[in-house]
Amino acid sequence: MRYRTLGLALALAAAPGLIADEGMWTFDNLPLARMKADYGFAPDQAWLDHLRLSVVRFPGGTGSFISDDGLVLTNHHVGHGWIEKVSDKDHDFVANGFVAADRSKEIPVAGLELATLESMENVSESLAKAVPAGTSDLEAARLRRVALDRLLEEARTKTGLTCEPVSLYQGGETWIYGYKMHKDVRLVMAPEYDIAAFGKDWDNFSFPRHDLDFSLFRVYEDGKPYHPAHHLAWAASGPQYGEMTLLAGHPGRTSRLETLAQMEAYRDVMNPLRIRSLDRTRKALHAFAAQGGEHARLVSGTIMGTENAYKVYVNETLGLKDTVSMAAVARAERELRDAVAKDPTLRALAGASWDQVAAAMARRCKVAKEDMLVGKAGSSLLGFALGVAECQEQAALPEAKRRPGFRTAKQFEERRTALRKAEILDPALEQALFAAGLQGAQEELGAGHSYVTLMLQGRKPGEAAQAILGATRLGDAAVRASLLDGKAGGDDPLLVLARKIRTLQEPLMKVREETQAILGEHGARIARARFQVKGKSVYPDATFSLRLSFGAVKTYPANGTLTQPFTTFGGLYDRADAWGPEAEDHSWKLPQRWVDARGRLDMSTHFDFISTNDIIGGNSGSAVVSRKGEVVGLVFDGNIESNAGCYFFNPDVNRAVAVDASAILTALDKVYAAPHLVKEILAR
Amino acid sequence: MRYRTLGLALALAAAPGLIADEGMWTFDNLPLARMKADYGFAPDQAWLDHLRLSVVRFPGGTGSFISDDGLVLTNHHVGHGWIEKVSDKDHDFVANGFVAADRSKEIPVAGLELATLESMENVSESLAKAVPAGTSDLEAARLRRVALDRLLEEARTKTGLTCEPVSLYQGGETWIYGYKMHKDVRLVMAPEYDIAAFGKDWDNFSFPRHDLDFSLFRVYEDGKPYHPAHHLAWAASGPQYGEMTLLAGHPGRTSRLETLAQMEAYRDVMNPLRIRSLDRTRKALHAFAAQGGEHARLVSGTIMGTENAYKVYVNETLGLKDTVSMAAVARAERELRDAVAKDPTLRALAGASWDQVAAAMARRCKVAKEDMLVGKAGSSLLGFALGVAECQEQAALPEAKRRPGFRTAKQFEERRTALRKAEILDPALEQALFAAGLQGAQEELGAGHSYVTLMLQGRKPGEAAQAILGATRLGDAAVRASLLDGKAGGDDPLLVLARKIRTLQEPLMKVREETQAILGEHGARIARARFQVKGKSVYPDATFSLRLSFGAVKTYPANGTLTQPFTTFGGLYDRADAWGPEAEDHSWKLPQRWVDARGRLDMSTHFDFISTNDIIGGNSGSAVVSRKGEVVGLVFDGNIESNAGCYFFNPDVNRAVAVDASAILTALDKVYAAPHLVKEILAR
């Protein structure tokens, strides 16, 4: 006997306490008892070290060593920008895919750096000692930053690693993580974009799904394949229905421990602003791409990223509008506030913090529109000029009056290095995005706003963009370089304009800085109060630091039915056949290799699957492992219901979407004729 | 360039005017100009007559003649109850399917009657003349019924057909439809339930879908296959993407032209009551089925129907809660009311009608709970007894005081015939449903309500059911027959109980009758006002009378993506492979015949498809035809978004779901080894 649970599932949403499978856990604080109770398995330290040291951080994502010769598995969409970068108009590896016939054909990817997390140190106590009691919020923030800089320097010296601060629990804890960096990374294999992102932007965040979203890179050291101390073995097959799935990765950002006032501000002010801005950008990008082939290639990755962000914000915001979920957030907050109010020590610590946070958010919301729009307006050159102007302006101040990050000569040099590396857009794209950015500023701020009058001077946005870009010499890399070296270009019209914009930005930055200090201080106080009330039974919000998530392959109710837990190769061809090659902008068109390979494939082989793992953007490229620590899949997305995961985890419908390990091996073997890679992956 | 339209699509909903493809049109009033403009095709009279005369009405559904030898195509779920009826525990044609090897093996289905609509006559004018100006609503209703009875009698005599009144436009028009009845109907072919309803109740109202929901019957006359004057030819293939699709069928019930007050009453009072009632019934049925094999077989059809109704009501009600759609209804009503208010004649006709309707609905809502629950409480025997008690009680009154339908000796005889045919449940099921019904009455009305105290007399619902059923002899068919013949049984305890219940029902029936008269009168006045303002450019609400719908094969946004317009045989196996045979109560398990046939099938063959045709329950079994009038599919469902179609048509997401004509032929040929049927269907 079974009763339909659709209505129920939609009505549930986040309960105040922790829910099975919820959590993006730091490696120092895992709910081992819960894992044991729910799945009969809790990893030991060796298991955890092995997984952590097999994982690499990609820019914006995650990967894993999967061979003793430094082979790295990640998503195609994590590698996309880099694959695009090593392509040119005669070698479009995004469109056509790439398979290195042997190691000599692997393509070095300039600029790509991977990182392995080798050390973690909790420095919260040391930082707390740096702030005397009674210090103001703003001063406390400054003191903590000074102390942190010192601790980072010490850690670097001690470990020889690249050390980064990691703020957890809204500042309730601060850690220093030490990474080993891998700077020689080469492209080994990439499937065609049309199969890696089958269904394109339409299918993004949906399931059933048929994406072969993987790519292979290799780390080299001293010109030879790197032999990592740890790499993940490949499982004999993908997961079974109900099987426990674990994964380590770098979830980027969640706001689950923030206050109700913060969530309401996102829902009502910040997110709608961001959504409108992304909407303008994607329209400008599509219009640019529509001009022709090379244009389209140039922005395919940016379009994908922008559409993705747009879809995320839209759905996150829908999540925030769910009254049941928000009521649960309000209830949990009320419970914690009540507990704090009852205890004199806690009351002294955090009794006022919720109101402080609410007031700071209200202050932010007031200037949110200007804060977002008074700036580079989509122009990479103006962004560069603003960076230069800021450096010059801070350098002119006495050290005590400078903003953090502009104190030492070394910090100034770091800024200049970043500006040297800053990506400058193709001129035609620069013009298009700048025009769109100015148009947006005019729409949002009104024609009478001082920023708008400064930028447009009575011209139409497109004309203004053309005139401003036409007048500057910063489009020339040599001019930019000599400007950074302080040799010339100080009177460039764009820099003059940037200095005027900086004046308008100044009061906005002041609000941002002051409110950030309050949010930091009181977010941390609330976190400490929560530790007191609940112990460390909660996990910190995601901050693009390494986390472990566990769950199982499981269906969920959607679209009026129960979603199938797996897709198969048969389903891939079904989708392609059902649409036909011509329908709906070719989103479900198969690459020719796949049309040709059809007869060689076992259609019942699993292709993608879903699991209850709690993930979010940044987890992309995480290998899904079994309790044996072997690769059973490769996570690449969440379903649309998980977009609200920024704020809540709903175990009934939040699902991670992964490529099945069988699909990757089958594709390498039967479609891409790469037996050498299959052999390398399966070697023990 | 393309922009995501998901948010937009969800926000649109019913505009006040007519929307492309909207409409369940009567054959006398088709929007031919719109069809021509939108699709370049408008059927002529011969085309329409051919389709109408090829269609048959099933009890609760639709079918079509598809051969010169009277072969009839309908859904499996329309035939389900009849297939169940000709099965027994050794021949379970529902579970195992059935293929008549030749015509001698076709199984007569006792009680199944099909009907072809041969004549249509508008009698609105004649009825209007029967009511003098100034007559009260209640008296006007009575006078119209008397006149209608006379007109029906005349029509029967004139045409020799079975004539039925058809009320359109909330009573704004009344027609008499004349049907040729087909009473010798035999089962020819039925696939297994597991493939006809693949995905079972989960997939009901969903898409992508893989149901082979068809069955074949044959009409006989004088013991020989009937040769219909018209039958539909089979198309060479299913429809292409974007192709125009037309269908004729019997949509059961919509409320699109009702007033806002009526919709609000459904949303807030009637539907929630009905949903709770259906929920109790389905739980009782599942509990009954869970007792074992034969129990499960006995109620499989009833469970399907109950779950279906439950899902419909839940989703209809969700639709009514959509504020955008309801705002559109309110706006359209406001516009019509404004137009009526401006014109003195219209104001006299219908100026007060909306308020009259609202007051009547408020009166109904007050007694809605009692009206639903004071009755047979799920017991078929008590239902029978209540029918008998009503006949006796009406017979005792002078003719002028009797209710309509109890005036002439002939009408009494018709009532008795209906009672003779009344379905009596299996005793164990009777006990289970009666107990659940009494439990529900207790929960809804409270233990102190006079009906509850009468029924329970302090006992628990299960005990009361057992005691009441144990004391009556009406379980014996012979006793029921002699009671109807007036020979014996008048003192049966159940009949005594029924008479007491009738006393409680009397005031409730009075409210129903009085409010029905008001709703009929003023619904018709509003309809007549609408005719004046808009001409006959609108179609009437569905009333299980024959309608034509047109549209095209088209995708829609759902589940975060665009839905594929077709499914394929490959998708069917994908679904089965993805779930595996054991997962989730076998809902996606394939019959052995389908496992065996896998290698013989072309996986790219279309299986099901979606189209924009505006349909609703009762359209089930309608053949989908091309503009050539040839069968390209067989409609069997709507998507979950179309459930709100009772109240609104949203062209962005409302979709009909059909079996592709290719799937039916392929299955007959390759899976069911029935080349003789393929040959018969393809014969020209």
Side-chain angles (χ1 to χ4, degrees):
Chain A
M1 187 167 51
R2 134 185 87 65
Y3 300 129
R4 180 157 299 274
T5 53
L6 292 182
L8 191 63
L10 294 172
L12 273 173
L18 269 181
I19 299 164
D21 302 353
E22 176 175 351
M24 301 166 176
W25 300 92
T26 51
F27 274 67
D28 64 291
N29 179 38
L30 290 162
L32 298 172
R34 185 144 64 87
M35 294 168 84
K36 187 83 187 167
D38 289 355
Y39 291 104
F41 173 75
D44 61 19
Q45 197 55 46
W47 193 102
L48 291 169
D49 290 346
H50 174 69
L51 178 61
R52 174 172 55 83
L53 293 165
S54 298
V55 167
V56 293
R57 189 180 70 184
F58 267 76
T62 305
S64 316
F65 287 118
I66 56 163
S67 90
D68 187 43
D69 285 342
L71 193 63
V72 171
L73 172 71
T74 187
N75 289 144
H76 186 276
H77 80 267
V78 169
H80 190 127
W82 304 102
I83 301 166
E84 200 170 279
K85 204 165 175 183
V86 298
S87 297
D88 58 40
K89 66 183 168 53
D90 299 321
H91 302 86
D92 188 342
F93 301 131
V94 172
N96 305 319
F98 172 76
V99 185
D102 57 52
R103 292 187 185 171
S104 71
K105 303 291 193 306
E106 293 172 359
I107 307 174
V109 185
L112 177 54
E113 293 186 2
L114 310 186
T116 314
L117 177 58
E118 300 216 334
S119 75
M120 298 176 283
E121 188 193 0
N122 187 344
V123 297
S124 310
E125 288 299 318
S126 311
L127 284 187
K129 284 180 194 148
V131 183
T135 314
S136 78
D137 292 350
L138 205 56
E139 176 62 9
R142 200 191 64 81
L143 289 175
R144 268 196 296 271
R145 267 193 305 265
V146 172
L148 185 57
D149 281 351
R150 182 180 43 76
L151 290 165
L152 279 168
E153 213 39 62
E154 286 171 16
R156 278 175 201 130
T157 311
K158 192 173 70 186
T159 62
L161 298 168
T162 298
C163 291
E164 297 176 7
V166 173
S167 173
L168 302 176
Y169 299 104
Q170 274 66 29
E173 279 188 359
T174 305
W175 290 63
I176 291 176
Y177 280 15
Y179 296 93
K180 177 174 169 60
M181 305 302 293
H182 309 286
K183 303 193 178 191
D184 182 354
V185 186
R186 307 188 188 176
L187 177 63
V188 176
M189 190 273 164
E192 303 87 342
Y193 177 62
D194 280 355
I195 187 72
F198 186 72
K200 304 288 161 58
D201 181 51
W202 292 114
D203 276 5
N204 191 16
F205 299 122
S206 79
F207 197 83
R209 186 82 166 275
H210 309 84
D211 285 7
L212 194 74
D213 192 353
F214 86 103
S215 59
L216 296 172
F217 291 80
R218 191 185 306 280
V219 169
Y220 280 73
E221 209 169 55
D222 304 326
K224 286 179 193 145
Y226 171 66
H227 299 295
H230 292 267
H231 75 269
L232 299 176
W234 203 267
S237 76
Q240 302 296 306
Y241 187 74
E243 183 176 334
M244 184 185 195
T245 48
L246 303 102
L247 61 89
H250 305 87
R253 167 184 73 91
T254 60
S255 302
R256 296 184 190 171
L257 296 183
E258 295 190 19
T259 70
L260 186 62
Q262 286 173 295
M263 294 197 194
E264 287 170 347
Y266 301 142
R267 180 190 66 194
D268 299 335
V269 180
M270 313 293 196
N271 286 12
L273 255 175
R274 174 70 62 191
I275 288 166
R276 292 202 300 276
S277 164
L278 286 165
D279 192 35
R280 289 189 296 265
T281 304
R282 75 200 184 100
K283 281 178 180 159
L285 287 168
H286 281 292
F288 183 80
Q291 292 174 46
E294 191 55 14
H295 278 72
R297 197 187 63 77
L298 201 63
V299 292
S300 77
T302 315
I303 285 182
M304 199 176 67
T306 308
E307 288 287 1
N308 185 69
Y310 177 74
K311 205 166 175 177
V312 168
Y313 271 102
V314 166
N315 289 302
E316 263 185 30
T317 310
L318 280 179
L320 285 172
K321 287 178 181 166
D322 180 62
T323 50
V324 178
S325 300
M326 285 297 266
V329 170
R331 193 166 59 244
E333 181 166 308
R334 176 48 52 202
E335 282 167 13
L336 183 56
R337 290 185 77 161
D338 287 349
V340 165
K342 275 186 205 137
D343 178 314
T345 316
L346 290 180
R347 199 166 59 230
L349 172 71
S353 293
W354 282 275
D355 291 344
Q356 287 280 343
V357 167
M361 288 309 288
R363 215 178 138 204
R364 283 202 154 188
C365 285
K366 256 190 199 159
V367 297
K369 201 179 259 192
E370 288 178 282
D371 196 34
M372 171 169 289
L373 290 152
V374 175
K376 65 178 189 169
S379 160
S380 65
L381 288 176
L382 181 52
F384 173 84
L386 283 165
V388 172
E390 188 181 23
C391 278
Q392 292 176 342
E393 157 201 314
Q394 291 292 315
L397 295 172
E399 194 183 320
K401 290 209 155 189
R402 289 185 209 146
R403 247 200 301 281
F406 291 96
R407 292 185 309 110
T408 65
K410 191 166 167 240
Q411 285 177 327
F412 273 102
E413 190 44 43
E414 281 169 9
R415 292 270 158 177
R416 275 192 289 269
T417 304
L419 286 167
R420 252 176 223 111
K421 287 187 187 169
E423 200 197 345
I424 300 301
L425 298 173
D426 162 272
L429 180 58
E430 173 93 26
Q431 163 69 30
L433 290 184
F434 194 17
L438 292 176
Q439 172 82 39
Q442 186 179 31
E443 285 169 17
E444 292 283 356
L445 300 172
H449 189 277
S450 48
Y451 173 73
V452 178
T453 56
L454 170 67
M455 300 299 282
L456 298 188
Q457 313 227 357
R459 300 165 296 197
K460 286 186 180 158
E463 294 164 8
Q466 200 165 12
I468 294 169
L469 295 175
T472 179
R473 288 164 303 138
L474 295 184
D476 183 338
V479 176
R480 288 199 302 276
S482 72
L483 177 61
L484 283 172
D485 296 340
K487 288 179 189 154
D491 57 347
D492 188 275
L494 197 61
L495 192 59
V496 174
L497 180 64
R499 290 196 191 106
K500 292 180 186 160
I501 297 173
R502 292 284 311 148
T503 317
L504 298 175
Q505 284 181 330
E506 197 55 44
L508 302 169
M509 291 194 69
K510 192 159 174 283
V511 173
R512 210 190 304 163
E513 226 174 309
E514 288 172 5
T515 53
Q516 192 50 51
I518 296 168
L519 295 175
E521 176 65 30
H522 291 281
R525 284 169 181 249
I526 292 170
R528 287 205 295 278
R530 194 184 279 113
F531 286 152
Q532 295 294 324
V533 174
K534 297 194 158 193
K536 215 171 142 180
S537 65
V538 289
Y539 56 93
D541 264 318
T543 58
F544 200 57
S545 50
L546 193 70
R547 304 298 177 88
L548 185 126
S549 149
F550 63 95
V553 178
K554 198 173 172 195
T555 181
Y556 68 102
N559 197 26
T561 183
L562 279 189
T563 304
Q564 60 188 66
F566 298 92
T567 57
T568 68
F569 279 67
L572 170 71
Y573 288 97
D574 163 67
R575 199 84 163 243
D577 288 337
W579 278 109
E582 297 312 318
E584 298 301 328
D585 69 12
H586 310 275
S587 286
W588 292 271
K589 187 178 176 180
L590 286 171
Q592 192 57 42
R593 268 199 196 99
W594 285 82
V595 174
D596 297 341
R598 186 166 186 165
R600 296 195 295 274
L601 300 166
D602 175 351
M603 291 298 154
S604 67
T605 307
H606 287 173
F607 203 80
D608 291 347
F609 66 85
I610 43 174
S611 68
T612 58
N613 293 78
D614 186 4
I615 60 157
I616 206 152
N619 268 113
S620 283
S622 293
V624 181
V625 300
S626 65
R627 60 187 78 195
K628 282 162 92 178
E630 296 176 341
V631 178
V632 293
L634 173 67
V635 82
F636 68 96
D637 206 4
N639 61 355
I640 201 143
E641 291 81 351
S642 76
N643 281 174
C646 181
Y647 305 103
F648 334 105
F649 181 81
N650 180 342
D652 293 320
V653 296
N654 273 45
R655 291 294 178 272
V657 185
V659 189
D660 198 281
S662 315
I664 294 174
L665 275 202
T666 302
L668 287 173
D669 189 28
K670 307 274 189 195
V671 183
Y672 295 100
H676 58 296
L677 292 173
V678 172
K679 201 176 152 200
E680 181 178 353
I681 290 168
L682 292 182
R684 294 269 167 161
Chain B
M1 190 167 50
R2 130 185 91 66
Y3 301 129
R4 180 158 298 274
T5 53
L6 293 183
L8 191 66
L10 295 173
L12 275 172
L18 268 181
I19 299 165
D21 302 352
E22 176 175 352
M24 301 166 175
W25 300 91
T26 49
F27 274 67
D28 64 292
N29 179 40
L30 289 162
L32 297 173
R34 185 146 64 85
M35 295 168 83
K36 187 84 187 166
D38 289 355
Y39 292 103
F41 172 76
D44 61 19
Q45 197 55 46
W47 192 102
L48 290 169
D49 290 346
H50 174 69
L51 178 61
R52 173 172 56 82
L53 293 166
S54 298
V55 168
V56 294
R57 188 179 69 183
F58 268 76
T62 305
S64 316
F65 286 118
I66 55 164
S67 89
D68 188 43
D69 284 342
L71 193 63
V72 171
L73 172 70
T74 187
N75 289 145
H76 186 276
H77 81 266
V78 169
H80 190 126
W82 304 103
I83 301 166
E84 201 171 277
K85 203 165 176 183
V86 297
S87 297
D88 57 43
K89 66 182 167 56
D90 299 321
H91 303 85
D92 188 344
F93 302 131
V94 172
N96 306 320
F98 172 77
V99 186
D102 58 50
R103 292 187 184 170
S104 71
K105 303 290 192 308
E106 294 173 357
I107 307 174
V109 185
L112 176 55
E113 293 187 3
L114 310 185
T116 312
L117 176 58
E118 302 215 333
S119 76
M120 296 176 283
E121 188 193 0
N122 187 344
V123 297
S124 311
E125 288 299 317
S126 309
L127 284 187
K129 284 179 195 148
V131 181
T135 314
S136 78
D137 292 350
L138 205 58
E139 176 61 9
R142 199 191 65 80
L143 288 175
R144 269 195 296 271
R145 268 194 305 265
V146 172
L148 186 56
D149 281 352
R150 181 180 44 77
L151 290 165
L152 278 168
E153 212 40 61
E154 286 171 16
R156 278 175 201 129
T157 310
K158 193 172 70 185
T159 63
L161 298 169
T162 298
C163 291
E164 298 176 7
V166 174
S167 174
L168 303 175
Y169 301 103
Q170 274 65 27
E173 280 188 357
T174 304
W175 290 64
I176 290 175
Y177 280 17
Y179 295 93
K180 176 173 170 62
M181 304 303 292
H182 309 286
K183 304 193 177 192
D184 182 354
V185 185
R186 308 189 188 175
L187 177 63
V188 176
M189 190 272 163
E192 303 86 341
Y193 177 63
D194 281 354
I195 188 72
F198 187 71
K200 306 286 162 57
D201 181 50
W202 293 114
D203 276 6
N204 190 15
F205 299 122
S206 80
F207 198 81
R209 188 80 167 276
H210 309 84
D211 284 8
L212 193 76
D213 192 352
F214 87 102
S215 59
L216 297 171
F217 291 80
R218 192 185 305 281
V219 169
Y220 280 73
E221 208 169 58
D222 303 326
K224 286 180 194 145
Y226 171 66
H227 299 295
H230 292 267
H231 75 269
L232 300 176
W234 204 265
S237 75
Q240 302 296 306
Y241 187 73
E243 183 175 335
M244 184 183 193
T245 47
L246 303 102
L247 60 89
H250 304 88
R253 165 185 75 93
T254 60
S255 301
R256 296 184 189 169
L257 297 182
E258 295 190 19
T259 71
L260 186 63
Q262 285 172 293
M263 293 197 195
E264 287 170 346
Y266 301 142
R267 180 190 66 194
D268 300 333
V269 181
M270 312 293 195
N271 286 12
L273 255 175
R274 175 69 62 190
I275 288 167
R276 291 202 300 274
S277 164
L278 285 165
D279 192 35
R280 289 189 296 266
T281 304
R282 76 200 183 99
K283 282 177 180 160
L285 287 167
H286 281 292
F288 183 79
Q291 292 172 47
E294 191 54 12
H295 278 73
R297 197 187 65 75
L298 202 63
V299 292
S300 78
T302 315
I303 285 182
M304 200 175 67
T306 307
E307 287 287 0
N308 186 68
Y310 177 73
K311 205 166 175 178
V312 168
Y313 271 102
V314 165
N315 289 302
E316 262 185 32
T317 310
L318 279 180
L320 285 172
K321 288 179 181 167
D322 179 62
T323 50
V324 178
S325 300
M326 285 298 266
V329 170
R331 195 165 57 244
E333 181 165 309
R334 174 50 52 202
E335 283 167 12
L336 183 57
R337 290 185 76 160
D338 286 350
V340 165
K342 277 186 202 135
D343 180 312
T345 317
L346 290 180
R347 198 166 57 230
L349 171 69
S353 293
W354 282 274
D355 291 343
Q356 288 281 342
V357 167
M361 286 310 288
R363 215 180 138 201
R364 281 199 158 192
C365 285
K366 257 191 200 160
V367 297
K369 201 180 259 192
E370 288 178 282
D371 195 34
M372 171 169 288
L373 290 152
V374 175
K376 66 178 188 169
S379 160
S380 66
L381 288 177
L382 181 52
F384 173 85
L386 283 164
V388 172
E390 188 180 22
C391 278
Q392 292 177 339
E393 154 202 316
Q394 291 291 315
L397 294 172
E399 192 181 321
K401 291 210 156 191
R402 289 186 209 145
R403 248 200 300 283
F406 291 96
R407 292 183 310 110
T408 65
K410 192 166 169 238
Q411 286 175 326
F412 273 101
E413 190 44 42
E414 280 168 10
R415 293 269 158 180
R416 274 193 290 269
T417 304
L419 285 168
R420 249 175 225 113
K421 288 187 188 172
E423 200 196 344
I424 300 301
L425 297 174
D426 162 270
L429 181 59
E430 174 94 26
Q431 163 68 31
L433 291 184
F434 194 17
L438 292 176
Q439 173 82 39
Q442 186 179 30
E443 283 167 20
E444 293 282 357
L445 300 171
H449 189 278
S450 49
Y451 174 73
V452 178
T453 54
L454 170 66
M455 300 299 283
L456 298 188
Q457 313 225 359
R459 299 165 294 196
K460 288 188 177 157
E463 294 165 9
Q466 201 166 11
I468 294 169
L469 295 175
T472 179
R473 287 166 302 139
L474 295 183
D476 182 339
V479 176
R480 290 199 300 276
S482 74
L483 177 60
L484 283 172
D485 296 340
K487 287 179 190 154
D491 56 349
D492 188 275
L494 197 62
L495 192 60
V496 174
L497 180 64
R499 289 193 192 108
K500 292 180 185 160
I501 297 173
R502 292 284 312 150
T503 316
L504 298 174
Q505 285 181 328
E506 196 56 43
L508 302 169
M509 292 195 70
K510 191 158 175 282
V511 173
R512 209 189 304 163
E513 224 174 312
E514 288 173 5
T515 54
Q516 192 50 49
I518 296 169
L519 295 174
E521 176 67 29
H522 292 280
R525 282 171 182 248
I526 293 170
R528 288 205 295 278
R530 193 183 281 114
F531 287 152
Q532 295 293 322
V533 174
K534 298 194 157 194
K536 213 171 143 179
S537 65
V538 289
Y539 56 92
D541 265 316
T543 56
F544 201 58
S545 52
L546 193 71
R547 304 298 175 89
L548 185 126
S549 150
F550 64 95
V553 178
K554 199 174 171 194
T555 181
Y556 68 102
N559 197 25
T561 184
L562 280 188
T563 304
Q564 59 189 65
F566 297 93
T567 57
T568 68
F569 279 66
L572 170 71
Y573 287 96
D574 163 67
R575 200 84 163 241
D577 288 338
W579 277 110
E582 296 312 316
E584 299 300 328
D585 69 11
H586 309 275
S587 286
W588 292 272
K589 187 178 175 177
L590 286 170
Q592 192 57 41
R593 267 200 195 99
W594 284 82
V595 175
D596 297 341
R598 187 166 186 164
R600 295 195 295 273
L601 300 166
D602 175 351
M603 290 299 154
S604 67
T605 306
H606 287 174
F607 203 80
D608 290 347
F609 67 86
I610 44 173
S611 68
T612 58
N613 293 77
D614 186 2
I615 61 157
I616 206 151
N619 267 115
S620 283
S622 293
V624 182
V625 301
S626 65
R627 61 189 75 195
K628 283 161 91 176
E630 296 175 342
V631 178
V632 292
L634 173 66
V635 81
F636 69 95
D637 205 4
N639 61 354
I640 200 145
E641 291 82 350
S642 76
N643 280 173
C646 181
Y647 306 102
F648 334 104
F649 180 80
N650 180 343
D652 293 319
V653 296
N654 273 45
R655 292 293 177 273
V657 185
V659 189
D660 198 281
S662 315
I664 294 173
L665 275 202
T666 302
L668 286 172
D669 189 28
K670 308 273 189 195
V671 184
Y672 295 100
H676 59 294
L677 291 174
V678 174
K679 199 176 154 201
E680 181 177 354
I681 290 168
L682 293 180
R684 293 268 168 167

